[in-house]
Structure formats: structure tokens, C-alpha cells
């Protein structure tokens, strides 16, 4: 079975971090959108084997690295990154674990307010460099920041990302281990709430509210953003911040989301996911135990130094 709406945080893909924090040419700035969505979707998490991952400490190291780099650039005559602000520490691996919020809204009130959508978080201003000296300062300060954190700091963080990329496939294994009758129980419950699937067999293969004949909403209109960098040689363009936007469900979507939430509770879907996930996660932890142990020790040491540097 393929659960289109099984794990909200499952859409978060892990990837190696970009070197540095400058944006040049046609690059768009990285934003905390995906990580913030994963964080919001993963609240209230029961214990599980992947708790061994030290994502909070990796996030703290990256935060400290950016803070040091931005200060170095400001000292070099390029204060733009520092003026925009240092992104807060974020656990980049939070989406690997499962919590009540991973399956959707956590209360009826939240289900009614958000439907099946996700609010768009605010985005940091874009920064586009057309200044080769800025680019050189960014590279130099990036190196300096990692060196300040200690020998092998960047390699340790990258190795942790590479490790977690190896853990990502567990989601497909988890999907196969869910109870075979769970989709039928969900559909029976939804039917009891007054909804009918267009194709019962298709729903049982891919449980999806799209198949229940309800119109869905959209994000509220964006504030006009016509900004384009001027791209004059020797300049650094900073665009406006992008404000957060709420997802606006249709009334029908809100009612279905409430029914879906109730049926998640009645079918005990969270415990079904956790029961399936724990042995799969443990198998991955056992497979990569030596790497996890080694990297955790290195990140623990790095995070202590990062905390002290970030406090300055």
C-alpha cells in the first residue's frame, strides 16, 4: 500500500549541506521551510530507535558556523548576511522520526483550521552577489568558520548527513510493514462519516483524501514580490523578506479533515506506524551502529564548542 498522506514529514529529503552561506549568480537562498515543516509535523514524539541521532547538535554546529562566517564577512566590509540574521538552529533529521503530528493535524481544531494543507513559513531575504570580492570573502570566511570550530568539523557534519541519507529508505520498508487491514479500517470509518471513495480498490492501494470528492483550498495570496536583483558589477543585492502565508482550506475540506482526524484516532494509526517503524529503525541503527557511535562522539564535542562560540 502507498500512503499518500501517511507521513507528513516523509516528504523531507535529506541532502548534503551547501558549502558556505552566500548566494551568488542565479542561486536562490536556502530557507528553513522544509525543516520547519518537518519540525511542526513531528511534535509529541514517543521514543524510538532513531532518537539516537544527534540532529539538534548538528543544527547547533551549523548555526555557530554561520554566525562566525557572517561576522567575518561583516568585518571584511560585507555586513549583508549578518544584517539579514543568522538562521536559528534546526534539527535537520527530525523528519526521520514519527510523532502524532507526522500524520497530520493533532487536534480537531487544527484539522478544521488547516484542512490537509500546510502553512508557508516566512522566508529570509534573497541575497544575490555580483561582487567577486564578496564571493572571495564568503569562501574565506566559510573556511575560517569551520576552522574555528575545530579540525574536521565540516567533514564530521557532512559525514552525518551522508549517514542519515543512508537511513532514509526505511520509510519504504515501514510502509510495507503496516497492518494490511489498516486502509480498509480507515475507509470504513470515513464511509461512516458520510464520505464515499470514487474507487474503493484505488483508495485501499493509496489512501488519499483526493479520492473523496471534496474541493481543496490553497495558500492565501502572496504579497506582491516583483523584486529582481539589479546585478550591477561590484554590488550585493538584498531582496525583501517573504512573509508567512496561511493555508486556506475550503469548508468541505475542513469537515473532511476533521473526519479524517477522528478516523486516525479510531483506527489507532499512530501506534500502527510506531509499531511498524521501531523494528525497522532498530535494524538500521544496528547496521550503522559503529558510524553512529563515532559521529555522535565527534558531534558531542563539536556542539560544546559551538554552544560557547554561538553565545559570544
Amino acid at each position: 500500500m502507498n500512503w499518500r498522506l501517511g507521513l507528513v514529514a516523509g516528504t523531507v529529503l535529506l541532502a548534503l549541506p551547501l558549502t558556505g552561506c552566500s548566494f551568488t549568480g542565479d542561486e536562490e537562498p536556502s530557507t528553513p521551510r522544509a525543516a520547519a515543516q518537518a519540525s511542526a509535523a513531528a511534535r509529541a514524539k514517543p521514543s524510538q530507535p532513531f532518537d539516537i541521532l544527534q540532529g539538534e547538535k548538528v543544527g547547533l554546529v551549523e548555526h555557530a558556523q554561520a554566525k562566525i562566517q557572517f561576522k567575518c564577512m561583516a568585518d571584511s566590509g560585507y555586513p549583508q548576511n549578518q544584517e539579514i540574521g543568522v538562521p536559528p538552529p534546526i534539527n535537520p533529521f527530525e523528519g526521520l522520526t514519527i510523532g502524532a503530528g507526522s500524520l497530520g493535524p493533532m487536534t480537531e481544531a487544527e484539522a478544521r483550521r488547516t484542512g490537509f494543507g500546510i502553512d508557508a513559513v516566512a522566508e529570509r531575504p534573497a541575497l544575490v552577489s555580483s561582487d567577486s570580492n564578496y564571493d572571495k570573502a564568503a569562501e574565506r570566511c566559510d573556511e575560517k568558520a569551520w576552522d574555528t570550530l575545530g579540525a574536521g568539523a565540516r567533514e564530521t557534519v557532512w559525514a552525518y548527513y551522508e549517514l542519515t541519507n543512508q537511513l532514509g529508505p526505511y520509510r519504504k520498508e515501514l510502509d510495507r510493514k503496516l497492518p494490511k487491514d489498516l486502509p480498509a479500517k480507515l475507509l470504513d470509518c470515513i464511509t461512516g462519516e458520510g464520505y464515499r471513495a470514487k474507487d474503493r480498490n484505488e483508495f485501499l492501494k493509496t489512501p488519499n483524501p483526493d479520492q473523496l470528492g471534496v474541493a481543496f483550498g490553497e495558500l492565501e495570496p502572496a504579497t506582491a514580490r516583483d523584486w529582481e536583483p539589479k546585478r550591477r558589477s561590484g554590488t550585493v543585492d538584498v531582496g525583501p523578506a517573504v512573509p508567512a502565508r496561511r493555508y486556506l482550506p475550503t469548508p468541505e475540506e475542513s469537515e473532511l479533515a476533521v473526519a479524517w482526524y477522528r478516523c486516525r484516532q479510531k483506527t489507532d494509526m499512530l501506534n500502527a506506524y510506531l509499531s511498524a517503524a521501531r523494528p525497522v529503525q532498530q535494524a538500521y541503527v544496528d547496521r550503522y551502529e559503529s558510524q553512529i557511535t563515532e559521529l555522535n562522539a565527534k558531534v558531542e564535542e563539536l556542539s560544546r564548542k559551538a554552544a560557547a562560540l554561538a553565545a559570544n
Side-chain angles (χ1 to χ4, degrees):
M1 77 192 79
N2 179 15
W3 288 76
R4 275 281 299 275
L5 280 176
L7 291 167
V8 173
T11 59
V12 178
L13 301 178
L14 299 177
L16 285 173
L18 295 175
T19 302
C21 299
S22 61
F23 314 111
T24 60
D26 293 320
E27 294 176 358
E28 288 296 322
S30 60
T31 73
R33 180 191 299 274
Q37 289 175 350
S39 178
R43 291 168 288 170
K45 292 185 176 181
S47 63
Q48 48 206 290
F50 278 177
D51 291 342
I52 195 173
L53 302 175
Q54 298 297 312
E56 293 88 354
K57 292 174 182 176
V58 170
L60 177 59
V61 172
E62 292 182 306
H63 169 75
Q65 193 276 342
K67 186 172 184 179
I68 297 166
Q69 182 188 9
F70 291 0
K71 183 179 184 305
C72 171
M73 293 179 69
D75 292 342
S76 300
Y78 295 99
Q80 293 89 346
N81 296 76
Q82 194 172 58
E83 290 170 353
I84 290 173
V86 182
I90 293 173
N91 178 351
F93 314 138
E94 192 168 24
L96 283 171
T97 50
I98 296 170
S102 303
L103 303 178
M106 293 180 60
T107 65
E108 285 194 18
E110 185 181 354
R112 191 175 301 280
R113 211 288 293 163
T114 64
F116 292 95
I118 299 176
D119 294 337
V121 299
E123 296 182 12
R124 291 159 53 78
L127 190 157
V128 178
S129 167
S130 302
D131 183 345
S132 61
N133 289 325
Y134 170 95
D135 301 338
K136 292 174 183 176
E139 292 179 8
R140 177 174 54 79
C141 290
D142 177 60
E143 294 290 340
K144 178 181 178 181
W146 284 115
D147 290 344
T148 301
L149 284 163
R154 173 163 44 196
E155 290 74 17
T156 295
V157 169
W158 281 39
Y160 220 126
Y161 274 93
E162 289 176 341
L163 167 66
T164 51
N165 281 334
Q166 300 304 310
L167 307 180
Y170 103 93
R171 293 238 181 243
K172 293 182 180 179
E173 296 180 36
L174 158 61
D175 194 57
R176 293 193 294 267
K177 292 183 180 297
L178 289 168
K180 301 302 181 185
D181 62 348
L182 187 57
K185 287 181 177 180
L186 176 64
L187 181 56
D188 289 345
C189 179
I190 288 291
T191 302
E193 293 280 344
Y195 297 93
R196 183 173 298 278
K198 297 174 184 177
D199 185 326
R200 179 180 176 86
N201 290 332
E202 187 63 28
F203 186 96
L204 295 179
K205 280 197 306 183
T206 308
N208 187 339
D210 283 349
Q211 301 170 30
L212 299 173
V214 169
F216 287 79
E218 58 188 3
L219 287 169
E220 64 184 348
T223 303
R225 185 188 180 187
D226 297 328
W227 179 81
E228 288 288 340
K230 296 179 180 178
R231 301 183 187 278
R232 292 195 303 265
S233 178
T235 65
V236 178
D237 295 312
V238 179
V242 180
R245 290 191 289 158
R246 287 162 61 93
Y247 178 80
L248 303 177
T250 64
E252 300 88 345
E253 179 185 357
S254 291
E255 292 301 323
L256 174 57
V258 169
W260 194 283
Y261 167 79
R262 291 172 180 162
C263 289
R264 277 174 37 210
Q265 304 303 108
K266 290 178 182 178
T267 57
D268 202 15
M269 191 180 291
L270 175 59
N271 280 330
Y273 267 92
L274 287 168
S275 296
R278 285 183 175 121
V280 179
Q281 288 186 13
Q282 188 61 57
Y284 274 81
V285 169
D286 292 344
R287 186 182 310 168
Y288 295 99
E289 182 178 10
S290 60
Q291 289 175 250
I292 294 172
T293 300
E294 179 182 358
L295 285 171
N296 279 356
K298 291 181 178 179
V299 167
E300 173 68 34
E301 182 179 352
L302 277 175
S303 68
R304 287 196 294 267
K305 188 169 186 179
L309 289 169
N312 294 332

